[in-house]
Amino acid sequence: MTAPDSDGLLAEQLLRLTRRVHRIQKRHLEHRDLGITPAQSRLLRTLAHYGSPPRMADLAERLEVVPRAVTTLVDGLEAAGKVRRVPDPANRRVIRIELTANGRTALGELHGARRSAAEEILAPLTDEQREVLGGLLDTLIDGPCPGPGRRTE
């Protein structure tokens, strides 16, 4: 078991790395001059994972934010021509959000900015270190694999 002091240090290192990742990604977004905030970027990436245009409430739930926050994000992206509101074919009272061609192009640029940011962050690591880091991150993201006699909660 890890000593409490080292757990605190690891937690602080993770928080510092998270802040650094956000700063670098934001800088790479700004260099591409897309006019998209990190929150709008997240909404576009989320929107792209739906098979059909979702409702605003679906986006709010997936993003774990209040619906009003999604409305503000969609308003900005719609004004920029990256998304559009469309009526639900089965219920005229329901509005769905879909990506435009401009939005799909922006997603490609966002992907490039995120990849550039990741390359910058990972640059000091060797291939072997990257492989080890990838395995460690998978464990942290997915949680430990249950072994014999271990329960999953």
Side-chain angles (χ1 to χ4, degrees):
M1 178 130 221
T2 309
D5 288 338
S6 64
D7 283 348
L9 176 61
L10 284 172
E12 182 60 29
Q13 287 173 309
L14 285 171
L15 291 172
R16 288 176 50 212
L17 177 59
T18 300
R19 286 192 297 268
R20 181 168 185 248
V21 167
H22 286 291
R23 274 194 318 273
I24 291 171
Q25 283 182 346
K26 185 176 179 184
R27 189 182 50 181
H28 280 268
L29 279 176
E30 289 168 354
H31 279 107
R32 290 177 186 253
D33 199 26
L34 295 173
I36 295 175
T37 67
Q40 289 172 330
S41 167
R42 185 171 172 234
L43 187 137
L44 284 175
R45 289 190 323 271
T46 301
L47 191 55
H49 285 98
Y50 281 92
S52 61
R55 300 173 305 139
M56 299 267 249
D58 298 329
L59 287 168
E61 184 177 329
R62 176 81 59 91
L63 293 168
E64 298 178 347
V65 298
V66 296
R68 177 70 192 130
V70 170
T71 301
T72 301
L73 293 172
V74 168
D75 287 347
L77 289 168
E78 187 174 37
K82 299 197 177 6
V83 301
R84 70 176 145 252
R85 289 173 166 91
V86 294
D88 184 301
N91 183 346
R92 293 184 332 198
R93 295 175 295 168
V94 174
I95 298 296
R96 295 189 175 268
I97 308 303
E98 72 178 8
L99 282 170
T100 62
N102 188 345
R104 285 189 208 351
T105 300
L107 271 173
E109 287 290 321
L110 291 169
H111 178 74
R114 288 170 57 100
R115 185 164 187 86
S116 296
E119 287 171 5
E120 181 178 333
I121 289 165
L122 297 172
L125 301 180
T126 65
D127 289 343
E128 184 179 314
Q129 289 171 321
R130 288 176 187 217
E131 189 174 326
V132 169
L133 177 62
L136 293 170
L137 290 173
D138 282 343
T139 299
L140 293 175
I141 291 166
D142 300 334
C145 295
R150 291 179 65 184
R151 295 184 326 184
T152 57
E153 310 255 343

